[in-house]
Amino acid sequence: MKIFSYFLQKMLVVLLILFTSGAYAQNYPIGPVKIVVPFPPGGTTDILARVLANELTKKWGQSVVVDNKPGASGTIFSEQLTNMPPDGYTLMVTATHHVINPSLYKNLKYNTRTDFTPISLVAGVPNVLVVNPAFPVNSIQELITFAKANPGKVMFGSSGTGGANHLSGELFKSMAKIDMVHVPYKGAAPALNDLLGNQISVMFDSIPGVLSHIKAGKLRALGVTSLTRSSALPHVPTISESGLKGFEALAWFGMYAPPQMSPELLKKISGDVLATLQSPQVKNQFSEQGADAGNMSQAEYAKYVDTEISKWAKVISDANIKID
Protein backbone atom coordinates (compact mmCIF):
# COMPACT_ATOMS: atom_id res chain seq x y z
CA MET A 1 0.00 0.00 0.00
CA LYS A 2 2.85 2.38 0.86
CA ILE A 3 4.53 1.65 -2.47
CA PHE A 4 1.27 2.39 -4.32
CA SER A 5 0.85 5.62 -2.37
CA TYR A 6 4.43 6.69 -3.20
CA PHE A 7 3.99 6.18 -6.93
CA LEU A 8 0.59 7.87 -6.84
CA GLN A 9 2.19 10.94 -5.27
CA LYS A 10 4.92 10.97 -7.93
CA MET A 11 2.32 10.63 -10.68
CA LEU A 12 0.31 13.52 -9.30
CA VAL A 13 3.44 15.69 -9.27
CA VAL A 14 4.16 14.89 -12.91
CA LEU A 15 0.53 15.58 -13.87
CA LEU A 16 0.67 18.87 -12.00
CA ILE A 17 3.74 19.88 -13.98
CA LEU A 18 2.21 18.83 -17.30
CA PHE A 19 -1.19 20.49 -16.88
CA THR A 20 -0.38 23.56 -14.79
CA SER A 21 3.25 24.07 -15.77
CA GLY A 22 2.94 27.83 -16.22
CA ALA A 23 1.54 28.46 -12.75
CA TYR A 24 3.82 25.82 -11.24
CA ALA A 25 6.92 27.47 -12.67
CA GLN A 26 5.78 30.94 -11.63
CA ASN A 27 5.38 29.86 -7.99
CA TYR A 28 8.52 27.66 -7.86
CA PRO A 29 9.92 26.90 -5.35
CA ILE A 30 7.38 26.54 -2.58
CA GLY A 31 9.55 24.27 -0.45
CA PRO A 32 13.16 23.15 0.12
CA VAL A 33 15.31 22.33 -2.91
CA LYS A 34 18.06 19.71 -2.84
CA ILE A 35 21.24 19.90 -4.91
CA VAL A 36 22.97 16.52 -4.95
CA VAL A 37 26.73 16.33 -5.53
CA PRO A 38 27.70 12.76 -6.56
CA PHE A 39 31.17 13.12 -5.01
CA PRO A 40 32.50 13.34 -1.44
CA PRO A 41 32.42 16.62 0.51
CA GLY A 42 35.34 19.01 0.25
CA GLY A 43 36.17 18.71 -3.44
CA THR A 44 35.80 21.49 -6.01
CA THR A 45 32.37 20.27 -7.16
CA ASP A 46 31.10 20.31 -3.58
CA ILE A 47 32.57 23.74 -2.79
CA LEU A 48 31.07 25.38 -5.88
CA ALA A 49 27.69 23.73 -5.32
CA ARG A 50 27.54 25.05 -1.75
CA VAL A 51 28.35 28.59 -2.84
CA LEU A 52 25.57 28.39 -5.44
CA ALA A 53 23.11 26.81 -2.98
CA ASN A 54 23.71 29.56 -0.44
CA GLU A 55 22.98 32.31 -2.96
CA LEU A 56 19.94 30.50 -4.40
CA THR A 57 18.55 30.23 -0.87
CA LYS A 58 18.63 34.02 -0.68
CA LYS A 59 17.13 34.45 -4.15
CA TRP A 60 14.30 31.96 -3.74
CA GLY A 61 13.52 32.49 -0.08
CA GLN A 62 13.55 28.72 0.36
CA SER A 63 16.19 26.42 1.78
CA VAL A 64 18.57 25.02 -0.87
CA VAL A 65 20.71 22.27 0.64
CA VAL A 66 23.61 20.24 -0.73
CA ASP A 67 23.59 16.48 -0.27
CA ASN A 68 26.66 14.38 -1.10
CA LYS A 69 25.98 10.96 -2.61
CA PRO A 70 29.34 9.71 -3.95
CA GLY A 71 29.99 6.53 -5.85
CA ALA A 72 31.42 5.11 -9.08
CA SER A 73 32.66 8.40 -10.55
CA GLY A 74 29.25 9.99 -10.10
CA THR A 75 27.31 7.33 -12.00
CA ILE A 76 25.34 5.85 -9.08
CA PHE A 77 23.35 8.96 -8.27
CA SER A 78 23.20 9.99 -11.93
CA GLU A 79 21.23 6.82 -12.59
CA GLN A 80 18.94 7.55 -9.66
CA LEU A 81 18.26 11.07 -10.92
CA THR A 82 16.93 9.76 -14.23
CA ASN A 83 14.03 8.12 -12.36
CA MET A 84 13.03 11.13 -10.26
CA PRO A 85 10.15 13.50 -11.05
CA PRO A 86 11.16 16.62 -13.02
CA ASP A 87 9.63 18.92 -10.45
CA GLY A 88 12.75 21.00 -9.75
CA TYR A 89 13.14 19.91 -6.14
CA THR A 90 16.07 17.56 -6.79
CA LEU A 91 18.91 18.88 -8.93
CA MET A 92 22.46 17.63 -9.48
CA VAL A 93 25.75 19.49 -9.78
CA THR A 94 28.49 17.28 -11.15
CA ALA A 95 31.84 17.52 -12.92
CA THR A 96 33.27 16.74 -16.36
CA HIS A 97 33.06 13.05 -15.47
CA HIS A 98 29.40 13.20 -16.53
CA VAL A 99 30.27 13.64 -20.22
CA ILE A 100 33.33 11.38 -20.08
CA ASN A 101 31.73 8.39 -18.34
CA PRO A 102 29.56 7.29 -21.31
CA SER A 103 32.70 6.46 -23.27
CA LEU A 104 34.59 4.91 -20.36
CA TYR A 105 31.85 2.69 -18.96
CA LYS A 106 29.95 0.55 -21.42
CA ASN A 107 27.34 -0.71 -18.93
CA LEU A 108 25.76 2.57 -17.83
CA LYS A 109 22.03 2.18 -17.28
CA TYR A 110 21.19 5.59 -18.66
CA ASN A 111 21.76 7.67 -21.78
CA THR A 112 23.69 10.82 -20.90
CA ARG A 113 22.39 12.65 -23.96
CA THR A 114 18.68 12.01 -23.40
CA ASP A 115 18.05 11.02 -19.78
CA PHE A 116 18.86 14.40 -18.17
CA THR A 117 17.69 17.99 -18.47
CA PRO A 118 20.75 20.26 -18.72
CA ILE A 119 20.16 23.36 -16.57
CA SER A 120 23.32 25.47 -16.51
CA LEU A 121 27.07 25.52 -16.81
CA VAL A 122 28.07 26.27 -13.22
CA ALA A 123 31.79 26.94 -13.67
CA GLY A 124 34.90 26.17 -15.65
CA VAL A 125 38.40 25.60 -14.27
CA PRO A 126 41.24 25.68 -16.82
CA ASN A 127 44.09 23.25 -16.57
CA VAL A 128 47.65 24.27 -17.30
CA LEU A 129 50.43 22.29 -18.97
CA VAL A 130 53.43 22.39 -16.66
CA VAL A 131 56.90 20.89 -16.93
CA ASN A 132 59.77 20.38 -14.55
CA PRO A 133 62.28 23.27 -14.95
CA ALA A 134 64.98 20.72 -15.78
CA PHE A 135 63.06 19.67 -18.88
CA PRO A 136 64.66 21.48 -21.85
CA VAL A 137 61.56 23.12 -23.33
CA ASN A 138 60.17 26.62 -22.81
CA SER A 139 57.08 26.69 -25.00
CA ILE A 140 54.35 24.49 -26.46
CA GLN A 141 56.06 24.42 -29.84
CA GLU A 142 59.39 23.43 -28.26
CA LEU A 143 57.60 20.60 -26.43
CA ILE A 144 56.04 19.36 -29.67
CA THR A 145 59.38 19.54 -31.47
CA PHE A 146 61.14 17.70 -28.63
CA ALA A 147 58.47 14.98 -28.48
CA LYS A 148 58.63 14.41 -32.24
CA ALA A 149 62.41 14.07 -32.04
CA ASN A 150 62.11 11.71 -29.05
CA PRO A 151 59.00 9.55 -29.63
CA GLY A 152 57.88 7.62 -26.57
CA LYS A 153 60.44 9.26 -24.28
CA VAL A 154 58.32 12.08 -22.84
CA MET A 155 56.28 10.94 -19.84
CA PHE A 156 53.21 12.82 -18.65
CA GLY A 157 51.52 12.09 -15.35
CA SER A 158 47.87 12.21 -14.33
CA SER A 159 45.64 11.54 -11.35
CA GLY A 160 44.40 8.34 -12.98
CA THR A 161 43.21 6.76 -16.19
CA GLY A 162 40.20 8.51 -17.70
CA GLY A 163 40.42 11.64 -15.57
CA ALA A 164 40.24 15.17 -16.96
CA ASN A 165 43.99 15.75 -16.77
CA HIS A 166 44.73 12.41 -18.44
CA LEU A 167 42.33 13.18 -21.27
CA SER A 168 43.82 16.68 -21.63
CA GLY A 169 47.12 14.96 -22.36
CA GLU A 170 45.55 12.54 -24.82
CA LEU A 171 43.84 15.40 -26.67
CA PHE A 172 47.16 17.25 -26.79
CA LYS A 173 48.92 14.16 -28.18
CA SER A 174 46.25 13.71 -30.82
CA MET A 175 46.17 17.32 -32.01
CA ALA A 176 49.97 17.71 -31.92
CA LYS A 177 50.49 14.29 -33.52
CA ILE A 178 53.13 13.29 -30.98
CA ASP A 179 53.84 10.25 -28.84
CA MET A 180 53.98 10.82 -25.07
CA VAL A 181 53.74 8.04 -22.48
CA HIS A 182 50.93 8.31 -19.95
CA VAL A 183 51.84 7.52 -16.33
CA PRO A 184 48.70 7.18 -14.18
CA TYR A 185 48.83 7.82 -10.42
CA LYS A 186 46.33 7.31 -7.62
CA GLY A 187 45.50 10.98 -7.37
CA ALA A 188 46.93 14.32 -8.45
CA ALA A 189 49.17 14.74 -5.38
CA PRO A 190 51.52 11.78 -6.02
CA ALA A 191 51.73 12.70 -9.71
CA LEU A 192 52.65 16.27 -8.79
CA ASN A 193 55.28 15.04 -6.33
CA ASP A 194 56.97 13.02 -9.07
CA LEU A 195 56.81 15.99 -11.44
CA LEU A 196 58.48 18.19 -8.83
CA GLY A 197 61.04 15.44 -8.28
CA ASN A 198 61.74 15.18 -12.03
CA GLN A 199 60.56 11.57 -12.20
CA ILE A 200 58.17 12.63 -14.97
CA SER A 201 58.51 15.66 -17.23
CA VAL A 202 55.00 16.88 -18.06
CA MET A 203 51.61 17.16 -16.41
CA PHE A 204 48.24 18.79 -16.99
CA ASP A 205 46.73 19.97 -13.72
CA SER A 206 44.26 22.54 -12.45
CA ILE A 207 45.66 26.04 -12.06
CA PRO A 208 44.83 26.21 -8.32
CA GLY A 209 46.69 22.93 -7.79
CA VAL A 210 50.01 24.14 -9.24
CA LEU A 211 49.88 27.94 -9.05
CA SER A 212 52.08 28.23 -5.97
CA HIS A 213 54.73 25.98 -7.54
CA ILE A 214 54.71 28.05 -10.74
CA LYS A 215 55.16 31.27 -8.78
CA ALA A 216 57.99 29.71 -6.76
CA GLY A 217 59.79 28.62 -9.93
CA LYS A 218 59.44 24.94 -9.11
CA LEU A 219 57.38 24.34 -12.25
CA ARG A 220 57.33 26.01 -15.67
CA ALA A 221 53.94 26.77 -17.21
CA LEU A 222 53.81 26.36 -20.99
CA GLY A 223 50.13 26.86 -21.78
CA VAL A 224 46.62 26.97 -20.33
CA THR A 225 43.91 24.71 -21.70
CA SER A 226 41.13 27.30 -22.01
CA LEU A 227 40.49 29.30 -25.17
CA THR A 228 41.26 32.55 -23.34
CA ARG A 229 44.13 33.33 -21.00
CA SER A 230 43.63 32.85 -17.28
CA SER A 231 43.55 35.89 -15.01
CA ALA A 232 45.63 33.84 -12.56
CA LEU A 233 48.38 33.36 -15.21
CA PRO A 234 47.93 36.29 -17.60
CA HIS A 235 51.41 35.96 -19.11
CA VAL A 236 50.99 32.27 -19.97
CA PRO A 237 49.58 31.75 -23.49
CA THR A 238 46.76 29.39 -24.28
CA ILE A 239 47.64 26.15 -26.02
CA SER A 240 45.25 27.21 -28.77
CA GLU A 241 47.18 30.41 -29.50
CA SER A 242 50.45 28.46 -29.29
CA GLY A 243 49.78 26.49 -32.46
CA LEU A 244 47.06 23.94 -31.61
CA LYS A 245 44.13 26.12 -32.70
CA GLY A 246 40.88 25.23 -30.98
CA PHE A 247 42.50 23.20 -28.20
CA GLU A 248 40.26 23.33 -25.14
CA ALA A 249 40.16 20.96 -22.19
CA LEU A 250 38.42 22.43 -19.17
CA ALA A 251 37.49 20.85 -15.90
CA TRP A 252 33.90 22.09 -15.79
CA PHE A 253 30.90 21.70 -13.56
CA GLY A 254 27.25 21.66 -14.57
CA MET A 255 23.73 21.41 -13.18
CA TYR A 256 21.21 18.83 -14.36
CA ALA A 257 17.64 17.82 -13.58
CA PRO A 258 15.65 14.66 -14.33
CA PRO A 259 14.40 14.24 -17.92
CA GLN A 260 11.23 15.75 -19.37
CA MET A 261 11.13 18.93 -17.30
CA SER A 262 8.48 21.35 -18.60
CA PRO A 263 9.80 24.23 -20.73
CA GLU A 264 8.31 26.78 -18.34
CA LEU A 265 9.98 25.31 -15.26
CA LEU A 266 13.25 24.83 -17.13
CA LYS A 267 13.21 28.49 -18.17
CA LYS A 268 12.51 29.59 -14.59
CA ILE A 269 15.25 27.50 -12.93
CA SER A 270 17.93 28.01 -15.57
CA GLY A 271 17.26 31.74 -15.65
CA ASP A 272 17.50 32.08 -11.88
CA VAL A 273 20.64 29.96 -11.72
CA LEU A 274 22.34 31.96 -14.49
CA ALA A 275 21.46 35.27 -12.81
CA THR A 276 22.86 33.96 -9.54
CA LEU A 277 26.06 32.76 -11.19
CA GLN A 278 26.58 36.20 -12.70
CA SER A 279 26.17 37.99 -9.38
CA PRO A 280 29.34 39.64 -8.00
CA GLN A 281 29.13 37.52 -4.85
CA VAL A 282 29.26 34.21 -6.70
CA LYS A 283 31.83 35.37 -9.25
CA ASN A 284 34.16 36.53 -6.48
CA GLN A 285 33.78 33.35 -4.45
CA PHE A 286 34.31 31.16 -7.51
CA SER A 287 37.38 33.20 -8.47
CA GLU A 288 38.90 32.39 -5.09
CA GLN A 289 38.67 28.72 -6.09
CA GLY A 290 40.31 29.41 -9.47
CA ALA A 291 36.97 28.95 -11.24
CA ASP A 292 35.12 31.10 -13.78
CA ALA A 293 31.36 31.29 -13.23
CA GLY A 294 29.24 29.92 -16.07
CA ASN A 295 27.62 32.41 -18.43
CA MET A 296 25.85 30.24 -21.02
CA SER A 297 22.14 30.28 -21.76
CA GLN A 298 20.31 27.00 -21.17
CA ALA A 299 20.22 26.27 -24.90
CA GLU A 300 23.93 26.99 -25.26
CA TYR A 301 24.70 24.74 -22.31
CA ALA A 302 22.62 21.85 -23.70
CA LYS A 303 24.55 22.10 -26.97
CA TYR A 304 27.85 22.31 -25.08
CA VAL A 305 27.08 19.11 -23.16
CA ASP A 306 26.33 17.29 -26.40
CA THR A 307 29.53 18.57 -28.00
CA GLU A 308 31.66 17.58 -25.01
CA ILE A 309 30.26 14.02 -25.02
CA SER A 310 31.27 13.65 -28.66
CA LYS A 311 34.67 15.28 -28.19
CA TRP A 312 35.76 13.06 -25.32
CA ALA A 313 34.30 9.96 -26.97
CA LYS A 314 36.67 10.52 -29.90
CA VAL A 315 39.66 11.16 -27.61
CA ILE A 316 38.95 8.00 -25.62
CA SER A 317 38.43 5.94 -28.77
CA ASP A 318 41.54 7.26 -30.52
CA ALA A 319 43.67 6.61 -27.43
CA ASN A 320 42.04 3.19 -26.86
CA ILE A 321 41.42 4.01 -23.19
CA LYS A 322 39.64 1.29 -21.27
CA ILE A 323 38.49 0.99 -17.66
CA ASP A 324 38.54 -2.54 -16.28
Side-chain angles (χ1 to χ4, degrees), residues 119-138:
I119 300 291
S120 179
L121 175 69
V122 173
V125 179
N127 286 331
V128 58
L129 192 165
V130 288
V131 299
N132 187 285
F135 192 53
V137 300
N138 294 285

PDB file of all heavy atoms in Angstrom, residues 119-138:
ATOM      1  N   ILE A 119      20.663  22.102 -17.131  1.00  0.00           N
ATOM      2  CA  ILE A 119      20.164  23.360 -16.574  1.00  0.00           C
ATOM      3  C   ILE A 119      21.135  24.511 -16.847  1.00  0.00           C
ATOM      4  O   ILE A 119      20.764  25.518 -17.439  1.00  0.00           O
ATOM      5  CB  ILE A 119      19.937  23.246 -15.047  1.00  0.00           C
ATOM      6  CG1 ILE A 119      18.912  22.141 -14.746  1.00  0.00           C
ATOM      7  CG2 ILE A 119      19.475  24.587 -14.474  1.00  0.00           C
ATOM      8  CD1 ILE A 119      17.511  22.443 -15.177  1.00  0.00           C
ATOM      9  N   SER A 120      22.377  24.349 -16.398  1.00  0.00           N
ATOM     10  CA  SER A 120      23.315  25.470 -16.512  1.00  0.00           C
ATOM     11  C   SER A 120      24.760  25.002 -16.363  1.00  0.00           C
ATOM     12  O   SER A 120      25.044  24.077 -15.593  1.00  0.00           O
ATOM     13  CB  SER A 120      23.018  26.512 -15.427  1.00  0.00           C
ATOM     14  OG  SER A 120      23.916  27.599 -15.489  1.00  0.00           O
ATOM     15  N   LEU A 121      25.646  25.656 -17.089  1.00  0.00           N
ATOM     16  CA  LEU A 121      27.074  25.516 -16.812  1.00  0.00           C
ATOM     17  C   LEU A 121      27.356  26.293 -15.540  1.00  0.00           C
ATOM     18  O   LEU A 121      27.136  27.503 -15.483  1.00  0.00           O
ATOM     19  CB  LEU A 121      27.908  26.073 -17.968  1.00  0.00           C
ATOM     20  CG  LEU A 121      29.422  26.090 -17.746  1.00  0.00           C
ATOM     21  CD1 LEU A 121      29.978  24.671 -17.725  1.00  0.00           C
ATOM     22  CD2 LEU A 121      30.118  26.913 -18.832  1.00  0.00           C
ATOM     23  N   VAL A 122      27.824  25.617 -14.510  1.00  0.00           N
ATOM     24  CA  VAL A 122      28.070  26.268 -13.225  1.00  0.00           C
ATOM     25  C   VAL A 122      29.409  26.990 -13.229  1.00  0.00           C
ATOM     26  O   VAL A 122      29.513  28.160 -12.827  1.00  0.00           O
ATOM     27  CB  VAL A 122      27.998  25.241 -12.075  1.00  0.00           C
ATOM     28  CG1 VAL A 122      28.421  25.865 -10.745  1.00  0.00           C
ATOM     29  CG2 VAL A 122      26.581  24.679 -11.964  1.00  0.00           C
ATOM     30  N   ALA A 123      30.459  26.315 -13.682  1.00  0.00           N
ATOM     31  CA  ALA A 123      31.787  26.936 -13.673  1.00  0.00           C
ATOM     32  C   ALA A 123      32.751  26.141 -14.530  1.00  0.00           C
ATOM     33  O   ALA A 123      32.542  24.959 -14.803  1.00  0.00           O
ATOM     34  CB  ALA A 123      32.322  27.025 -12.244  1.00  0.00           C
ATOM     35  N   GLY A 124      33.818  26.815 -14.946  1.00  0.00           N
ATOM     36  CA  GLY A 124      34.902  26.168 -15.654  1.00  0.00           C
ATOM     37  C   GLY A 124      36.221  26.449 -14.959  1.00  0.00           C
ATOM     38  O   GLY A 124      36.432  27.559 -14.448  1.00  0.00           O
ATOM     39  N   VAL A 125      37.079  25.446 -14.887  1.00  0.00           N
ATOM     40  CA  VAL A 125      38.401  25.602 -14.273  1.00  0.00           C
ATOM     41  C   VAL A 125      39.447  25.151 -15.282  1.00  0.00           C
ATOM     42  O   VAL A 125      39.552  23.957 -15.578  1.00  0.00           O
ATOM     43  CB  VAL A 125      38.525  24.778 -12.974  1.00  0.00           C
ATOM     44  CG1 VAL A 125      39.916  24.952 -12.375  1.00  0.00           C
ATOM     45  CG2 VAL A 125      37.458  25.169 -11.971  1.00  0.00           C
ATOM     46  N   PRO A 126      40.218  26.076 -15.845  1.00  0.00           N
ATOM     47  CA  PRO A 126      41.235  25.677 -16.823  1.00  0.00           C
ATOM     48  C   PRO A 126      42.331  24.842 -16.178  1.00  0.00           C
ATOM     49  O   PRO A 126      42.671  25.022 -15.008  1.00  0.00           O
ATOM     50  CB  PRO A 126      41.813  27.008 -17.310  1.00  0.00           C
ATOM     51  CG  PRO A 126      40.836  28.053 -16.890  1.00  0.00           C
ATOM     52  CD  PRO A 126      40.185  27.526 -15.651  1.00  0.00           C
ATOM     53  N   ASN A 127      42.864  23.926 -16.956  1.00  0.00           N
ATOM     54  CA  ASN A 127      44.091  23.247 -16.570  1.00  0.00           C
ATOM     55  C   ASN A 127      45.267  24.011 -17.166  1.00  0.00           C
ATOM     56  O   ASN A 127      45.084  24.902 -18.008  1.00  0.00           O
ATOM     57  CB  ASN A 127      44.098  21.802 -17.073  1.00  0.00           C
ATOM     58  CG  ASN A 127      43.168  20.910 -16.285  1.00  0.00           C
ATOM     59  OD1 ASN A 127      42.925  21.145 -15.112  1.00  0.00           O
ATOM     60  ND2 ASN A 127      42.628  19.893 -16.922  1.00  0.00           N
ATOM     61  N   VAL A 128      46.442  23.666 -16.742  1.00  0.00           N
ATOM     62  CA  VAL A 128      47.652  24.270 -17.295  1.00  0.00           C
ATOM     63  C   VAL A 128      48.669  23.166 -17.538  1.00  0.00           C
ATOM     64  O   VAL A 128      48.780  22.222 -16.752  1.00  0.00           O
ATOM     65  CB  VAL A 128      48.225  25.363 -16.356  1.00  0.00           C
ATOM     66  CG1 VAL A 128      48.547  24.798 -14.983  1.00  0.00           C
ATOM     67  CG2 VAL A 128      49.455  26.028 -16.965  1.00  0.00           C
ATOM     68  N   LEU A 129      49.373  23.246 -18.656  1.00  0.00           N
ATOM     69  CA  LEU A 129      50.426  22.287 -18.967  1.00  0.00           C
ATOM     70  C   LEU A 129      51.699  22.798 -18.305  1.00  0.00           C
ATOM     71  O   LEU A 129      52.176  23.884 -18.610  1.00  0.00           O
ATOM     72  CB  LEU A 129      50.606  22.175 -20.483  1.00  0.00           C
ATOM     73  CG  LEU A 129      51.463  21.011 -21.006  1.00  0.00           C
ATOM     74  CD1 LEU A 129      51.239  20.837 -22.507  1.00  0.00           C
ATOM     75  CD2 LEU A 129      52.940  21.192 -20.743  1.00  0.00           C
ATOM     76  N   VAL A 130      52.216  22.000 -17.380  1.00  0.00           N
ATOM     77  CA  VAL A 130      53.429  22.390 -16.659  1.00  0.00           C
ATOM     78  C   VAL A 130      54.512  21.340 -16.867  1.00  0.00           C
ATOM     79  O   VAL A 130      54.225  20.162 -17.087  1.00  0.00           O
ATOM     80  CB  VAL A 130      53.174  22.561 -15.143  1.00  0.00           C
ATOM     81  CG1 VAL A 130      52.370  23.816 -14.869  1.00  0.00           C
ATOM     82  CG2 VAL A 130      52.464  21.343 -14.560  1.00  0.00           C
ATOM     83  N   VAL A 131      55.764  21.798 -16.809  1.00  0.00           N
ATOM     84  CA  VAL A 131      56.900  20.893 -16.930  1.00  0.00           C
ATOM     85  C   VAL A 131      57.875  21.166 -15.791  1.00  0.00           C
ATOM     86  O   VAL A 131      57.875  22.246 -15.191  1.00  0.00           O
ATOM     87  CB  VAL A 131      57.635  21.068 -18.287  1.00  0.00           C
ATOM     88  CG1 VAL A 131      56.698  20.755 -19.438  1.00  0.00           C
ATOM     89  CG2 VAL A 131      58.214  22.471 -18.420  1.00  0.00           C
ATOM     90  N   ASN A 132      58.691  20.175 -15.505  1.00  0.00           N
ATOM     91  CA  ASN A 132      59.773  20.382 -14.547  1.00  0.00           C
ATOM     92  C   ASN A 132      60.789  21.339 -15.161  1.00  0.00           C
ATOM     93  O   ASN A 132      61.104  21.230 -16.350  1.00  0.00           O
ATOM     94  CB  ASN A 132      60.441  19.036 -14.226  1.00  0.00           C
ATOM     95  CG  ASN A 132      61.463  19.163 -13.123  1.00  0.00           C
ATOM     96  OD1 ASN A 132      62.560  19.664 -13.326  1.00  0.00           O
ATOM     97  ND2 ASN A 132      61.104  18.697 -11.941  1.00  0.00           N
ATOM     98  N   PRO A 133      61.314  22.296 -14.393  1.00  0.00           N
ATOM     99  CA  PRO A 133      62.279  23.266 -14.946  1.00  0.00           C
ATOM    100  C   PRO A 133      63.511  22.627 -15.580  1.00  0.00           C
ATOM    101  O   PRO A 133      64.165  23.256 -16.424  1.00  0.00           O
ATOM    102  CB  PRO A 133      62.653  24.108 -13.723  1.00  0.00           C
ATOM    103  CG  PRO A 133      61.493  23.993 -12.814  1.00  0.00           C
ATOM    104  CD  PRO A 133      60.969  22.597 -13.002  1.00  0.00           C
ATOM    105  N   ALA A 134      63.823  21.392 -15.189  1.00  0.00           N
ATOM    106  CA  ALA A 134      64.979  20.718 -15.777  1.00  0.00           C
ATOM    107  C   ALA A 134      64.701  20.198 -17.185  1.00  0.00           C
ATOM    108  O   ALA A 134      65.631  19.863 -17.920  1.00  0.00           O
ATOM    109  CB  ALA A 134      65.417  19.558 -14.877  1.00  0.00           C
ATOM    110  N   PHE A 135      63.437  20.157 -17.545  1.00  0.00           N
ATOM    111  CA  PHE A 135      63.061  19.671 -18.876  1.00  0.00           C
ATOM    112  C   PHE A 135      63.380  20.762 -19.896  1.00  0.00           C
ATOM    113  O   PHE A 135      62.973  21.914 -19.738  1.00  0.00           O
ATOM    114  CB  PHE A 135      61.567  19.331 -18.894  1.00  0.00           C
ATOM    115  CG  PHE A 135      61.103  18.574 -20.099  1.00  0.00           C
ATOM    116  CD1 PHE A 135      61.722  17.405 -20.487  1.00  0.00           C
ATOM    117  CD2 PHE A 135      60.027  19.038 -20.841  1.00  0.00           C
ATOM    118  CE1 PHE A 135      61.282  16.694 -21.589  1.00  0.00           C
ATOM    119  CE2 PHE A 135      59.581  18.341 -21.946  1.00  0.00           C
ATOM    120  CZ  PHE A 135      60.211  17.163 -22.322  1.00  0.00           C
ATOM    121  N   PRO A 136      64.104  20.440 -20.959  1.00  0.00           N
ATOM    122  CA  PRO A 136      64.660  21.476 -21.854  1.00  0.00           C
ATOM    123  C   PRO A 136      63.677  22.030 -22.881  1.00  0.00           C
ATOM    124  O   PRO A 136      63.972  22.085 -24.077  1.00  0.00           O
ATOM    125  CB  PRO A 136      65.812  20.736 -22.541  1.00  0.00           C
ATOM    126  CG  PRO A 136      65.335  19.326 -22.627  1.00  0.00           C
ATOM    127  CD  PRO A 136      64.568  19.093 -21.355  1.00  0.00           C
ATOM    128  N   VAL A 137      62.506  22.458 -22.433  1.00  0.00           N
ATOM    129  CA  VAL A 137      61.563  23.125 -23.334  1.00  0.00           C
ATOM    130  C   VAL A 137      60.973  24.340 -22.618  1.00  0.00           C
ATOM    131  O   VAL A 137      60.776  24.318 -21.395  1.00  0.00           O
ATOM    132  CB  VAL A 137      60.427  22.177 -23.799  1.00  0.00           C
ATOM    133  CG1 VAL A 137      60.997  20.976 -24.535  1.00  0.00           C
ATOM    134  CG2 VAL A 137      59.567  21.729 -22.639  1.00  0.00           C
ATOM    135  N   ASN A 138      60.687  25.381 -23.394  1.00  0.00           N
ATOM    136  CA  ASN A 138      60.174  26.617 -22.810  1.00  0.00           C
ATOM    137  C   ASN A 138      58.870  27.087 -23.440  1.00  0.00           C
ATOM    138  O   ASN A 138      58.374  28.156 -23.092  1.00  0.00           O
ATOM    139  CB  ASN A 138      61.218  27.734 -22.946  1.00  0.00           C
ATOM    140  CG  ASN A 138      62.460  27.459 -22.126  1.00  0.00           C
ATOM    141  OD1 ASN A 138      62.457  27.586 -20.913  1.00  0.00           O
ATOM    142  ND2 ASN A 138      63.535  27.057 -22.808  1.00  0.00           N
TER     143      ASN A 138
END
